[in-house]
Amino acid sequence: MAKRERVVRMSVEQPLWRALMAYRILTMVYAVLLAVFGRDRYDRPWVAIAFLAVMVVWTLGTLPKVAGAVACTKRFLGADLTLALVGILLTPLADFDAQHIDGPTLPSIWTAGSVLAFAIKGGWRWAALASTFVAVANIVERGEPSRDTFHNVLLVWVASIAIGYVVEVARASERTLARALEIEAATRERERLARDIHDSVLQVLAMVQRRGTALGGEAAELGRMAGEQEVALRTLVSSGLVPATRVSEDAAEGAVVRSVEVDDEDGPSGWADCDLRSLLAPHAGSRISFAEPGAPVLLAPAAAKELAAAVGAALDNVRIHAGESAQAWILVEDWPDEVIVTVRDDGPGIPEGRLAQAEGEGRMGVALSIRGRLRDLGGTAELISVPGQGTEVELKVPKVSKASRA
């Protein structure tokens, strides 16, 4: 069945670019309305009409240029700022009294859109450069600038630099978040591989070591070698050197990425619940009792598989540490919001502090194969053991877990 991967990208910059697009359109309309209602003040109205016509065509034709950082090139920014400066300097030519009256320039507040584009694209330094050009053009246009002129120039300069600084901080935060997500994804993949290694390779090596030692002779040498390899592999797993799969390049580039595996025919894969009882029933035998509800215990396949693997790891610990003659019980409880599976044995129990010592030695069966799996599912694993009275492992998984709907 064919499958495809859909990647959803989110960036903190996109809302800023969308806001800039809306700002340019609104300020364009505002500048045109100012000219229409104040047409009587123009000594050369054709100058104002010509400039505003060019500004309208430019604004509407370049909307795709301010849709994102990639499309907004340096060449476009330069041309956009030049148009705004020309409009400011043409104001006295259209209105002879513009230098003596603190009235609006031809582009009016549309000019700020050009400065904001510099701020979003290049940060506060680019914003400072663009606002400085605008400030000089306004001072030249006024001839003898008033206090209001300096006030407006300073306001644009400070606001653009502040926005540029905020954009730089947002980009740095996004890169940090992307790096954190990359590390988290790599860590989870490494732990998953470590669990698989513990459930297969390490278990086999430990069994070969015990059997070889018991048989003696050449088998003892084979067991010794298997024991050395087990120690080396445990060290490799616990040191974090187990290779993880490659994390998406989108995360490394600063985008927050969420990948969803989609089944072309049946919708998102992993959404068809399965009966947990069918995965746990094969464990039942002469020394393992299995108690289950009468109705199906439904979980998403990914969650059911991981929970069954954690139960298997708990039973492996029973066989290894409690002996082949130990009796074990599996109890499944289906609650409205969670599933609880309890694995209990009548073995000798675990001495206090033994689990911490085992983790320090690189024996991470409980930490990775059980607790790690439950943590990834959004659940918990509690281990209760009293020396001489056996061990009980309680596994709780929410009905809608992180792994089941990811």
Side-chain angles (χ1 to χ4, degrees):
M1 189 176 296
K3 293 184 178 180
R4 55 189 172 85
E5 186 174 299
R6 183 177 64 211
V7 179
V8 180
R9 301 179 180 215
M10 297 180 64
S11 173
V12 295
E13 290 186 31
Q14 282 307 120
L16 297 176
W17 289 110
R18 287 195 293 267
L20 179 59
M21 293 175 64
Y23 178 86
R24 288 170 66 88
I25 294 176
L26 292 176
T27 53
M28 175 199 71
V29 174
Y30 178 75
V32 172
L33 291 177
L34 279 180
V36 171
F37 290 111
R39 59 184 179 276
D40 294 337
R41 78 172 187 269
Y42 291 115
D43 300 287
R44 294 174 180 166
W46 61 269
V47 175
I49 294 173
F51 172 78
L52 291 174
V54 172
M55 188 186 74
V56 169
V57 173
W58 173 263
T59 302
L60 298 178
T62 59
L63 283 180
K65 289 289 187 179
V66 291
V70 176
C72 189
T73 61
K74 293 181 181 179
R75 181 177 298 180
F76 163 75
L77 290 174
D80 195 57
L81 182 61
T82 300
L83 179 62
L85 298 179
V86 169
I88 294 173
L89 298 176
L90 282 178
T91 302
L93 186 61
D95 181 6
F96 293 161
D97 295 328
Q99 292 185 338
H100 307 291
I101 302 175
D102 283 329
T105 60
L106 288 177
S108 184
I109 58 176
W110 182 88
T111 304
S114 300
V115 178
L116 292 176
F118 271 84
I120 299 175
K121 174 69 175 182
W124 70 269
R125 293 177 180 83
W126 286 29
L129 177 63
S131 57
T132 299
F133 278 108
V134 172
V136 172
N138 275 284
I139 293 174
V140 171
E141 182 266 333
R142 294 300 177 189
E144 297 179 359
S146 64
R147 184 177 62 182
D148 289 340
T149 301
F150 281 112
H151 173 77
N152 293 334
V153 166
L154 183 62
L155 181 63
V156 172
W157 197 72
V158 172
S160 62
I161 290 179
I163 293 175
Y165 179 76
V166 169
V167 170
E168 289 189 359
V169 171
R171 283 180 181 148
S173 300
E174 192 175 44
R175 287 193 295 268
T176 301
L177 176 60
R179 178 58 181 164
L181 292 175
E182 181 182 3
I183 293 174
E184 180 185 8
T187 300
R188 289 187 179 277
E189 181 65 12
R190 183 178 293 113
E191 290 184 356
R192 185 190 66 80
L193 292 175
R195 289 195 295 264
D196 292 342
I197 291 173
H198 175 272
D199 292 347
S200 56
V201 181
L202 292 177
Q203 300 265 0
V204 172
L205 290 175
M207 182 185 68
V208 172
Q209 181 188 23
R210 290 195 304 272
R211 296 290 177 86
T213 303
L215 292 174
E218 294 182 358
E221 177 64 17
L222 181 62
R224 184 189 65 78
M225 296 173 62
E228 292 177 354
Q229 294 302 312
E230 180 195 4
V231 172
L233 188 54
R234 287 187 186 278
T235 302
L236 185 65
V237 170
S238 61
S239 65
L241 298 178
V242 177
T245 56
R246 185 172 179 268
V247 180
S248 172
E249 293 180 357
D250 295 319
E253 292 173 358
V256 181
V257 179
R258 179 170 58 89
S259 297
V260 182
E261 192 178 81
V262 178
D263 194 308
D264 288 336
E265 297 181 12
D266 301 328
S269 63
W271 285 28
D273 292 339
C274 71
D275 190 355
L276 177 65
R277 301 178 305 170
S278 63
L279 299 179
L280 299 181
H283 292 298
S286 59
R287 299 195 178 278
I288 300 178
S289 300
F290 180 49
E292 58 183 314
V297 181
L298 299 179
L299 282 176
K305 179 181 177 182
E306 288 296 289
L307 181 55
V311 171
L315 293 174
D316 288 338
N317 286 336
V318 173
R319 285 189 290 268
I320 294 173
H321 302 293
E324 296 291 342
S325 61
Q327 186 74 30
W329 295 266
I330 303 174
L331 172 63
V332 179
E333 300 175 80
D334 189 10
W335 296 93
D337 57 345
E338 65 180 357
V339 173
I340 303 177
V341 180
T342 304
V343 179
R344 185 167 62 87
D345 66 75
D346 61 356
I350 303 175
E352 186 177 355
R354 177 56 185 145
L355 288 179
Q357 180 184 355
E359 290 188 22
E361 296 173 352
R363 300 178 178 273
M364 308 181 71
V366 174
L368 291 177
S369 292
I370 300 178
R371 287 176 179 159
R373 281 190 165 97
L374 271 294
R375 184 187 64 242
D376 290 347
L377 295 174
T380 60
E382 296 184 11
L383 189 146
I384 303 173
S385 182
V386 178
Q389 299 183 23
T391 301
E392 180 177 298
V393 180
E394 185 179 71
L395 311 174
K396 295 182 179 180
V397 176
K399 285 293 184 67
V400 181
S401 62
K402 293 186 292 184
S404 64
R405 298 298 187 234

